Amino acid sequence: MNATNPVLPPGYSAVPPGHVAAVVTSLEMLSRPPERPAQPFPAGVTLEPLERSIGAYRNLYRAVGTDWLWFSRLVMADETLQAILDNPEVEFLALRQDGRDAGILELDFSQPGECELAFFGVEPGLVGTGVGRALMNEAIARAWSRPIKRFWVHTCTLDHPAALDFYRRSGFVPFAFQVEVFPDPRLTGALPRDCSRHVPLLD
């Protein structure tokens, strides 16, 4: 057992009161997958650089991630988040629908030879429209346009139920499972109490 990354025993493990647990699946692709047929963004939808300001970033982060309990960048210290936003090795792109930010693509090239798909998603109203597939095609093309050997991402059981299959169909292969336990952000005030209704609120 590693003290910094303990291994859970078989069977049930208790989760502290006021916390949430999620099974995290990490996936990777070690070579560029076969190119998919072009799937352009629909009329009125574009992909553009996201303003590298805390306000613009967190507004989009909330719009895309609130239903899935995205909270890490909301509770992160402003100076820490600004350092990430200022990092030239991280690409921040906004999917814009009729001039309004409606999706996020964050590619982190900070580690030599690899790219992390750090954040990826669209607003609830765009889920199932095909926009996500077009955005993923763009993510894959951008990642492998650099001299990388590994493109990776993680998802969890709090995400959209189709997320894991979507990543696998995109060419990612699972390589690790972990369990993440964290204070419920709906109880700490980081997110509204009435969001993420697919996750029971136990206070």
Side-chain angles (χ1 to χ4, degrees):
M1 180 178 294
N2 186 322
T4 61
N5 193 13
V7 176
L8 288 175
Y12 291 92
S13 296
V15 175
H19 287 60
V20 172
V23 178
V24 179
T25 302
S26 295
L27 307 97
E28 64 185 359
M29 58 172 73
L30 302 180
S31 62
R32 185 169 186 163
E35 190 169 343
R36 287 175 170 265
Q39 184 165 347
F41 294 114
V45 176
T46 59
L47 187 63
E48 303 175 23
L50 175 64
E51 177 187 339
R52 290 179 180 244
S53 72
I54 290 174
Y57 181 87
R58 282 185 172 149
N59 285 341
L60 181 53
Y61 185 91
R62 286 189 182 93
V64 173
T66 293
D67 278 354
W68 315 115
L69 285 189
W70 288 14
F71 74 97
S72 60
R73 296 287 173 85
L74 302 180
V75 300
M76 180 179 286
D78 287 355
E79 58 269 24
T80 303
L81 178 56
Q82 191 61 61
I84 296 172
L85 292 169
D86 291 340
N87 186 346
E89 293 302 314
V90 184
E91 292 186 12
F92 299 93
L93 297 138
L95 191 72
R96 294 203 168 103
Q97 183 180 37
D98 299 323
R100 182 181 60 84
D101 290 350
I104 188 169
L105 173 57
E106 183 176 334
L107 298 168
D108 188 342
F109 295 92
S110 298
Q111 295 300 315
E114 67 179 50
C115 175
E116 178 187 1
L117 182 57
F119 288 98
F120 174 95
V122 298
E123 282 189 341
L126 289 176
V127 173
T129 65
V131 170
R133 170 51 57 198
L135 185 61
M136 176 56 75
N137 290 351
E138 184 70 22
I140 292 171
R142 285 175 176 268
W144 289 101
S145 69
R146 298 206 192 186
I148 65 169
K149 296 180 179 179
R150 178 175 182 256
F151 185 29
W152 74 282
V153 65
H154 68 261
T155 185
C156 76
T157 48
L158 302 180
D159 285 339
H160 191 284
L164 180 57
D165 185 56
F166 176 80
Y167 287 127
R168 295 181 72 172
R169 286 188 287 107
S170 299
F172 291 95
V173 177
F175 70 89
F177 295 122
Q178 293 174 298
V179 174
E180 180 182 14
V181 179
F182 54 89
D184 193 324
R186 297 167 298 182
L187 297 178
T188 63
L191 290 174
R193 284 181 64 93
D194 61 352
C195 74
S196 304
R197 293 185 178 275
H198 64 295
V199 183
L201 181 65
L202 303 177
D203 59 353

